[in-house]
Amino acid sequence: MSVCGAVMVPHPPLIIPEVGRGQEKAIRRTIDAYEKAAERIALWKPDTVIVISPHSIMYADYFHISPGRGAEGNFGRFGASGVKIKVRYDTEFVSLLSQEAQARDIEAGTMGERDRRLDHATMIPLWFLNHYDTDYSVVRIGLSGLPLSQHYMLGQCIQKTARLLGRNIAVIGSGDLSHKLKDDGPYGFAEEGPEYDARIMDVMGRAAFGELFDFSESFCDKAAECGHRSFVMMAGTMDGMSVKTEKLSHEGPFGVGYGVCVYETEGRAPERDFLRQYEEKAAKERESRKAAEDDYVRLARQTVETYVRTGRKIVVPEGLPDEMYNRRAGVFVSLKKEGQLRGCIGTIAPTRKNIAEEIIENAISAAVKDPRFYAVRPEELDQLVYSVDVLGKTEEIDSKEVLDVKRYGVIVSRGYKRGLLLPNLDGVDTVEEQIEIARQKAGIPEDADDVRLERFEVVRHF
């Protein structure tokens, strides 16, 4: 006994008649597809339904699994408090899943609950399912800011837990697609919106789950999707399994994409081990990149690897370019893991004798002192990608018109407060965005008028 199947479904509140009050008629295809998906789940007769929700409690570095014996919720915040959903949790499944996750060094468990009420991304699919079956228990799992691979791995843990407990389970990957499909939609339009919807429906329609890892963070952010991580975790529950796939619907009349797909498992398929394939591909890319690193990046890597493994700071090695010994400059060292920032610390102006020493100090700080992240662990070292930015001289400017988000970094100052943003960063496409992020980093109020702008160029090594 294990995973019977899974469904990918959206969660627009107006799909509930008491909420939509007629508006739901505009997404008739989604409703019809939802009914088919719910009926299919009922035919599998699952003991437990796993609901993966982007609107449950979400932490940057932890997966929250809802604790307790059960929970309930209603649609009161959408004007329909009379529509209620109540579930009983599979406490044995939750306990063993938490153990399996910890055994694989995945930060997941039942700590940190803030609101035990069910969220709408959980209630909507269960509202449809309850038309056909109510004899099931539930496990509700939230998403996290951790890499996509960790979401897939937690999905693998769900599959293993079901097998160990002898449970028949159905998995619901709850998530809307892009929220930026139309100018007159609630979130406006971005060209990445329709592109995301087309790509994700193609990938999910073919059950080509390995391609889910090819969606970059910046692309997903610009598309303003909310379900990608749900779909990745759902895919992980079917790792190594053959699936019969049915794409039922896709539409977005209100400017938000809604997609419905059903996956029915059909036995083992060892070639569908998508996480292993992704990790092998990523490892080859890292090795290729490592082989091409210049002296600046190689020094940052050597610094971090030595410090994390031994706690020792290296001395400046011999054989570096003369500039690294003879020139002083501000330096930023950035670490990424699976495309996500893992640490970034730098100095606007030089604080050390030369660039080499500046790199060593800032590389250590990026690895273990960036307050946004926990310290890099030894087992992560092989997965890190490094870049080193050497800053040129700063110059004060009178207008943002002389900025170029790709060429110049920006410093926003007010009194002693000072915020910096490097140029040519993923997801930062306009000068206005660049200035706003730097302002926020400095803690300068949005309406402040005595703000000073500076620009600088960098030489980026990667």
Side-chain angles (χ1 to χ4, degrees):
M1 295 183 179
S2 185
V3 182
C4 301
V7 298
M8 162 192 170
V9 291
H11 47 250
L14 59 77
I15 204 169
I16 306 299
E18 290 85 347
V19 175
R21 299 179 184 180
Q23 293 184 77
E24 71 276 7
K25 295 176 183 177
I27 52 171
R28 186 72 250 173
R29 283 184 294 167
T30 299
I31 293 172
D32 292 343
Y34 228 128
E35 294 286 359
K36 289 179 182 178
E39 189 173 14
R40 192 74 57 83
I41 295 175
L43 290 174
W44 298 333
K45 300 187 183 302
D47 304 306
T48 300
V49 174
I50 313 295
V51 183
I52 305 166
S53 169
H55 293 291
S56 182
I57 299 164
M58 182 173 177
Y59 292 97
D61 56 0
Y62 180 78
F63 294 100
H64 180 75
I65 307 171
S66 294
R69 301 184 65 85
E72 57 186 289
N74 63 59
F75 289 89
R77 60 180 290 214
F78 303 108
S81 58
V83 182
K84 302 177 181 180
I85 301 291
K86 185 175 183 179
V87 302
R88 64 180 185 278
Y89 287 141
D90 188 334
T91 56
E92 188 178 19
F93 198 108
V94 169
S95 177
L96 185 56
L97 175 59
S98 300
Q99 294 175 39
E100 288 296 325
Q102 292 166 15
R104 292 192 64 177
D105 293 322
I106 302 170
E107 297 294 332
T110 56
M111 297 186 299
E113 184 171 59
R114 296 174 183 167
D115 186 348
R116 68 179 299 107
R117 291 175 297 180
L118 298 177
D119 61 277
H120 70 279
T122 297
M123 291 191 292
I124 289 169
L126 296 183
W127 182 87
F128 279 95
L129 178 57
N130 286 348
H131 294 166
Y132 302 95
D133 181 20
T134 56
D135 187 21
Y136 59 85
S137 57
V138 168
V139 174
R140 180 172 65 143
I141 304 173
L143 308 178
S144 79
L146 291 167
L148 296 179
S149 62
Q150 294 274 298
H151 288 74
Y152 194 97
M153 286 170 62
L154 187 55
Q156 292 176 313
C157 291
I158 293 169
Q159 181 190 129
K160 183 178 179 181
T161 301
R163 186 171 67 251
L164 291 174
L165 291 176
R167 295 281 201 279
N168 280 326
I169 70 168
V171 182
I172 296 175
S174 181
D176 295 337
L177 308 186
S178 172
H179 287 62
K180 292 197 171 185
L181 299 182
K182 299 174 67 175
D183 284 323
D184 59 352
Y187 305 95
F189 174 81
E191 62 182 18
E192 291 82 3
E195 183 182 349
Y196 176 84
D197 272 34
R199 282 182 63 187
I200 195 67
M201 290 306 299
D202 173 59
V203 168
M204 299 306 285
R206 294 182 288 114
F209 298 142
E211 296 178 30
L212 288 168
F213 297 110
D214 297 334
F215 289 69
S216 70
E217 288 285 337
S218 61
F219 174 67
C220 288
D221 287 344
K222 291 173 184 176
E225 54 73 33
C226 84
H228 199 83
R229 283 173 160 78
S230 289
F231 309 149
V232 172
M233 193 186 302
M234 180 188 73
T237 69
M238 296 176 282
D239 182 69
M241 305 181 79
S242 175
V243 296
K244 179 182 178 182
T245 307
E246 190 174 0
K247 182 165 66 174
L248 296 180
S249 71
H250 171 238
E251 59 183 341
F254 303 115
V256 179
Y258 308 133
V260 181
C261 294
V262 174
Y263 308 93
E264 188 164 2
T265 59
E266 297 184 316
R268 298 300 300 168
E271 72 279 4
R272 289 178 61 81
D273 55 344
F274 297 114
L275 180 60
R276 181 193 62 79
Q277 296 172 31
Y278 164 72
E279 289 177 337
E280 288 183 353
K281 177 184 176 183
K284 290 179 180 178
E285 291 174 349
R286 287 194 302 271
E287 286 304 311
S288 176
R289 182 169 182 143
K290 184 176 179 180
E293 288 175 347
D294 67 9
D295 291 290
Y296 296 79
V297 177
R298 194 175 300 116
L299 178 59
R301 178 185 293 279
Q302 182 184 355
T303 298
V304 171
E305 291 182 350
T306 300
Y307 190 86
V308 170
R309 289 187 174 122
T310 70
R312 292 187 297 105
K313 180 171 72 172
I314 67 171
V315 297
V316 176
E318 297 180 355
L320 298 175
D322 289 343
E323 180 197 53
M324 297 180 72
Y325 299 117
N326 301 328
R327 182 185 161 203
R328 301 179 73 226
V331 169
F332 273 75
V333 177
S334 301
L335 317 177
K336 284 189 174 183
K337 178 181 175 182
E338 297 187 43
Q340 289 185 289
L341 189 65
R342 185 63 182 83
C344 179
I345 294 291
T347 44
I348 298 174
T351 62
R352 302 290 164 177
K353 183 169 64 176
N354 54 37
I355 287 175
E357 289 191 5
E358 205 82 36
I359 290 173
I360 290 170
E361 293 296 328
N362 292 342
I364 292 173
S365 294
V368 302
K369 297 179 182 179
D370 189 328
R372 297 169 294 180
F373 307 96
Y374 56 83
V376 169
R377 298 174 295 198
E379 59 269 24
E380 296 180 90
L381 291 173
D382 289 341
Q383 303 174 56
L384 296 181
V385 173
Y386 297 73
S387 64
V388 175
D389 288 290
V390 180
L391 278 62
K393 292 182 179 180
T394 62
E395 59 175 326
E396 189 166 353
I397 58 176
D398 296 325
S399 168
K400 67 180 182 180
E401 303 304 321
V402 297
L403 287 172
D404 180 332
V405 72
K406 299 299 182 184
R407 178 181 176 183
Y408 295 110
V410 67
I411 300 171
V412 180
S413 306
R414 185 192 189 213
Y416 66 89
K417 294 182 177 181
R418 205 174 189 199
L420 174 148
L421 199 70
L422 296 170
N424 199 22
L425 296 178
D426 288 343
V428 182
D429 298 317
T430 68
V431 166
E432 288 74 19
E433 289 175 320
Q434 188 184 40
I435 292 173
E436 175 62 16
I437 294 170
R439 181 194 63 75
Q440 291 178 0
K441 290 174 71 174
I444 297 172
E446 187 175 0
D447 57 354
D449 54 8
D450 53 341
V451 172
R452 187 162 64 100
L453 295 178
E454 297 170 86
R455 74 179 185 180
F456 59 91
E457 294 186 88
V458 305
V459 176
R460 177 160 296 163
H461 302 265
F462 51 85

